[in-house]
């Protein structure tokens, strides 16, 4: 429908991926602010079956976009499919969850439509009728209010966790489900998928750890790791790391916490010299008690921490290790 | 094999960020800078591939005069030559406007492969590489963690998916790949490399050199505008434990025992 807001549902093994409901929640907020109808577009293999689940949420209509070429996912047919749907129905806004898959193809869609794309948004509000999208550039250290310039459809992707799936209101009755006719016969699928796999089983299963001491780039170099190893030992906990520590091969990959590593929720999580980028936070923010040690008082990690020490880890960590040893008698 | 690697200059990781008087950008005067982290990995990946199969790596950067420092670093690491999109008209572009300029410059080189980092550490749009692939009509793949030498006009790469999943795919050349941090250890520039970089070609280009109208790039060509840049209000503030290291550590242990009851 012309002028509508579309919330695009991403499928995973034929099911709506959880974050897609967060996108619907964001869409409901934007729809209310702008007085525009919200529709959901379910895209990919098995969209017809998945559409029934999405239709329970409060949306005007669910559009099904499915075609044999959409299985498995590759960027060319996905881009073509949604471009055709957008050109046919001319929605004003098309919303996505900011998943790895969305990163892979939605910029193509933006270029194909010559549309603006505000990615990785954490909030939306209307200033005098004009929608403003809030993002977190500079690795979450700053906020930016963004607006669209110029005409054309407007694409937005929302950061995981910025809206809650449970906030996506249910409708009074199931929404209408319609098949969106698209013709992909002329579309060449250039990418060939050979194999999708999980890397060999993690040697350490950090998800079972009660106490985790995670170390970040602030540790400076591999030779300094002994400092945090000692603290972890004193606490009877496991050592873990942020991505750069593993990228630099200071610790093996199976110690990495975050969106591309393990997801953990120990009783106690200590983040040492970790800034708190969103890709790290998604892997640990549900921990019981979170402690952050960082020399930068503005580091985003402090916004998820319960206790913080602002200071040089090379002073704080040895002092803490000594105190823990004394207290626990180890 | 000819490989173009797009690099961006960004503020150094631990640099103090000052908001500029316009309230929309960061004041970069005098601030320490570096090559964007995943772009360093892209450069490393490009150099390895070129060394393995033979060929050259062209570094491509859009940015002001000060960004020459990043170009010199790329040349010192081993890039053969560099293209610097540097003109007042390029200023304050969004991902879309910048990708238009980068696509024009990279496309004119007719490379086999274009590499970019997966996202910048400053703006963080995570769009540029994929946007320029579509502008060129080339296939693309993102979050690449391994690259095999091309064979029969196709390249085989390993993509990182979410939560520990990966995927091997192939795509036809020419193509655009966005590189994930950690792909291969990044080399340091050697003294010889640094000296040699001074003699390498650095071509400066303006919109007209790319066949573009100034209205298509920079602020005039953008689709998204930053209205305000500011320090975020913290939602749930941590209790910051005061005092010197020993005092703060003692308070923390006390809190963990008595309040949080996790020790
Ligand atoms: C698609 C994608 C996936 C990603 N996946 C992950 C993931 O799974 N896990 C992950 O962790 N990251 C991941 N990242 C990277 C993430 O964006 C951040 O770059 C990374 O988490 C930063 O790690 P860090 O906090 O250790 O380093 P930095 O951001 O460099 O922070 C270092 C911190 O140490 C502090 N510090 C420095 N010296 C000292 C000192 N002497 N004393 C005290 N504090 C000090 C600094 O103030 C700073 O806050 C991913 C990124 C992308 C784009």
């Amino acid at each position: 429908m012309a002028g509508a807001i579309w919330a695009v549902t991403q499928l995973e093994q034929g099911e709506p991926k959880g974050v897609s409901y967060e996108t619907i929640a964001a869409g409901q907020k934007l729809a209310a602010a702008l007085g525009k109808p919200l529709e959901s577009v379910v895209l990919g293999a098995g969209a017809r079956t998945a559409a029934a689940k999405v239709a329970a949420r409060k949306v005007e209509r669910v559009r099904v976009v499915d075609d044999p070429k959409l299985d498995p996912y590759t960027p060319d047919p996905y881009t073509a499919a949604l471009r055709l749907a957008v050109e046919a129905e001319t929605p004003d806004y098309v919303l996505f969850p900011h998943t790895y898959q969305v990163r892979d193809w939605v910029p193509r869609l933006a270029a194909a439509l010559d549309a603006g794309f505000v990615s990785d948004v954490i909030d939306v509000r209307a200033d005098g009728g004009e929608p403003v999208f809030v993002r977190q550039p500079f690795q979450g250290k700053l906020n930016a209010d963004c607006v669209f310039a110029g005409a054309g459809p407007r694409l937005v992707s929302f950061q995981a966790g910025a809206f809650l799936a449970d906030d996506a209101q249910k409708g009074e009755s199931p929404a209408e489900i319609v098949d969106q006719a698209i013709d992909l016969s002329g579309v060449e699928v250039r990418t060939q998928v050979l194999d999708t796999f999980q890397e060999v089983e993690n040697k350490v299963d950090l998800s079972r750890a009660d106490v985790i001491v995670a170390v970040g780039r602030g540790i400076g170099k591999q030779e300094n790791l002994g400092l945090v190893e000692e603290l972890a030992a004193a606490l009877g906990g496991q050592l873990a790391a942020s991505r750069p520590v593993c990228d630099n091969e200071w610790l093996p990959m199976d110690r990495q916490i975050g969106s591309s590593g393990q997801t953990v929720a120990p009783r106690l999580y200590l983040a040492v010299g970790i800034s708190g980028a969103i890709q790290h936070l998604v892997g640990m923010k549900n921990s019981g008690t979170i402690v952050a040690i960082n020399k930068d008082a503005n580091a985003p990690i402090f916004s998820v921490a319960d206790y913080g020490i602002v200071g040089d880890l090379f002073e704080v960590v040895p002092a803490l290790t000594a105190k823990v040893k004394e207290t626990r008698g180890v | 094999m000819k490989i173009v690697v797009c690099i961006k200059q960004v503020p150094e990781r631990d640099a103090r960020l000052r908001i500029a008087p316009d309230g929309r950008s960061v004041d970069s005067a005098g601030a320490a800078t570096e090559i964007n982290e995943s772009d360093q990995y892209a450069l490393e990946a490009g150099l390895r591939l070129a060394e393995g199969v033979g060929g050259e790596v062209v570094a491509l950067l859009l940015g002001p005069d000060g960004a020459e420092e990043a170009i010199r670093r790329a040349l010192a690491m081993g890039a053969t030559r560099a293209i610097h999109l540097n003109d007042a008209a390029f200023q304050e572009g969004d991902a879309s406007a910048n990708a238009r300029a980068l696509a024009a410059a990279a496309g004119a080189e007719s490379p086999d492969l274009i590499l970019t980092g997966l996202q910048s550490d400053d703006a963080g749009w995570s769009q540029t590489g994929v946007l320029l692939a579509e502008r060129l009509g080339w296939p693309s793949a993102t979050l690449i963690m391994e690259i095999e030498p091309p064979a029969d006009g196709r390249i085989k790469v390993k993509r990182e998916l979410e939560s520990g999943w990966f995927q091997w795919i192939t795509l036809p050349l020419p193509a655009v790949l966005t590189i994930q941090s950690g792909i291969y250890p990044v080399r340091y520039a050697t003294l010889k490399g640094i000296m040699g970089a001074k003699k390498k070609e650095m071509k400066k280009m303006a919109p007209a050199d790319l066949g573009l109208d100034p209205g298509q790039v920079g602020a005039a060509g953008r689709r998204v505008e930053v209205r305000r840049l500011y320090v975020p209000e913290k939602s749930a503030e941590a209790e910051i434990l005061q005092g010197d290291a020993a005092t703060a550590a003692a308070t923390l242990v006390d809190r963990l025992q008595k309040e949080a009851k996790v020790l």
Side-chain angles (χ1 to χ4, degrees), chain B residues 40-172:
Chain B
Q40 294 183 30
Y41 284 102
L43 196 53
E44 177 63 41
L47 292 169
R48 276 183 191 228
L49 200 55
E51 284 157 5
V53 301
E56 68 162 338
V57 170
V58 181
L60 171 60
L61 179 146
L62 183 151
D65 289 347
E68 262 185 33
E69 200 184 323
I71 294 179
R72 290 217 188 282
R73 281 182 215 169
L75 293 172
M77 274 174 69
T80 321
R81 57 194 169 84
I83 300 169
H84 187 182
L85 307 185
N86 180 5
D87 189 84
F90 289 127
Q91 280 173 21
E92 289 189 52
D94 64 352
S96 159
N98 293 346
R100 184 179 286 117
L102 291 168
E109 288 284 331
S110 310
D112 302 291
L113 196 61
I114 300 175
L115 305 181
T116 72
L118 77 115
Q119 73 178 50
S120 60
D121 295 334
D122 55 357
W125 294 110
S126 65
Q127 297 182 26
T128 304
V130 181
L131 283 170
L132 68 94
E134 179 69 23
R135 292 236 175 259
L136 291 166
W138 295 3
S140 57
T142 54
L143 285 148
I144 301 305
M145 284 301 281
E146 227 173 302
I147 306 177
E148 293 201 348
D152 304 324
R154 294 183 74 88
I155 192 156
K156 182 176 165 187
V157 295
K158 182 172 144 189
R159 286 187 65 212
E160 180 179 302
L161 308 180
E162 276 152 29
S163 337
W165 286 80
F166 295 87
Q167 185 173 63
W168 280 106
I169 59 171
T170 71
L171 51 169

Side-chain angles (χ1 to χ4, degrees), chain A residues 6 41 43-44 65-67 69-70 73-89 96 104-113 155 180-190, chain B residues 130 134 140:
Chain A
W6 281 6
V41 175
L43 175 65
V65 182
D66 196 358
D67 186 280
K69 284 191 175 167
L70 299 176
Y73 161 81
T74 58
D76 291 335
Y78 262 62
T79 305
L82 207 61
R83 179 178 58 77
L84 291 169
V86 167
E87 284 171 354
E89 307 296 337
F96 305 85
D104 196 58
W105 71 279
V106 175
R108 290 199 84 100
L109 178 70
L113 292 167
L155 314 185
Q180 185 72 35
I182 47 157
D183 178 6
L184 296 186
S185 56
V187 175
E188 194 195 343
V189 180
R190 291 174 291 186
Chain B
V130 181
E134 179 69 23
S140 57

Side-chain angles (χ1 to χ4, degrees), chain A residues 16-271:
Chain A
K17 195 171 160 73
V19 284
S20 303
Y21 292 112
E22 298 177 11
T23 309
I24 291 176
Q28 288 175 345
K29 184 173 180 190
L30 185 64
L34 300 181
K36 288 177 186 286
L38 175 68
E39 303 182 351
S40 171
V41 175
V42 186
L43 175 65
R48 247 166 232 102
T49 326
K53 294 199 171 132
V54 179
R57 303 294 168 139
K58 196 173 161 215
V59 293
E60 297 272 315
R61 153 177 320 102
V62 179
R63 294 181 188 274
V64 172
V65 182
D66 196 358
D67 186 280
K69 284 191 175 167
L70 299 176
D71 186 26
Y73 161 81
T74 58
D76 291 335
Y78 262 62
T79 305
L82 207 61
R83 179 178 58 77
L84 291 169
V86 167
E87 284 171 354
E89 307 296 337
T90 61
D92 274 0
Y93 290 88
V94 187
L95 317 181
F96 305 85
H98 191 65
T99 59
Y100 287 17
Q101 188 177 96
V102 161
R103 291 163 173 270
D104 196 58
W105 71 279
V106 175
R108 290 199 84 100
L109 178 70
L113 292 167
D114 203 13
F117 177 23
V118 184
S119 44
D120 210 7
V121 165
I122 58 156
D123 200 9
V124 48
R125 60 167 203 273
D127 282 355
E130 186 189 32
V132 174
F133 299 90
V134 186
R135 352 180 19 256
Q136 298 185 300
F138 296 92
Q139 303 257 316
K141 288 183 199 128
L142 297 178
N143 274 13
D145 288 352
C146 299
V147 295
F148 283 94
R154 300 164 161 200
L155 314 185
V156 184
S157 66
F158 290 91
Q159 189 171 93
F163 286 82
L164 297 177
D166 287 348
D167 286 349
Q169 293 166 41
K170 296 237 159 61
E172 273 160 27
S173 55
E176 158 193 37
I177 299 174
V178 296
D179 273 315
Q180 185 72 35
I182 47 157
D183 178 6
L184 296 186
S185 56
V187 175
E188 194 195 343
V189 180
R190 291 174 291 186
T191 305
Q192 197 192 342
V193 176
L194 302 178
D195 188 19
T196 304
F197 59 99
Q198 230 174 347
E199 210 86 301
V200 279
E201 280 295 291
N202 286 323
K203 276 195 253 84
V204 276
D205 183 2
L206 295 171
S207 69
R208 288 163 187 281
D210 222 23
V211 174
I212 290 179
V213 176
V215 57
R217 198 196 320 250
I219 196 69
K221 51 180 186 228
Q222 191 171 24
E223 294 77 68
N224 295 337
L225 281 176
L227 212 65
V228 278
E229 273 165 4
E230 229 186 301
L231 176 59
L235 285 164
Q238 286 277 0
L239 191 62
S242 68
R243 180 166 189 130
V245 171
C246 302
D247 283 349
N248 283 314
E249 299 178 351
W250 298 344
L251 280 175
M253 255 290 284
D254 58 9
R255 298 267 164 188
Q256 184 175 312
I257 304 293
S259 63
S260 44
Q262 299 196 47
T263 301
V264 296
R267 269 191 320 129
L268 175 61
Y269 190 94
L270 275 97

Side-chain angles (χ1 to χ4, degrees), chain B residues 89-91 93 97-98 100-101 207 210 212-222:
Chain B
F90 289 127
Q91 280 173 21
N98 293 346
R100 184 179 286 117
L210 304 170
L212 292 173
D213 186 271
Q216 294 176 285
V217 298
R222 72 189 169 200

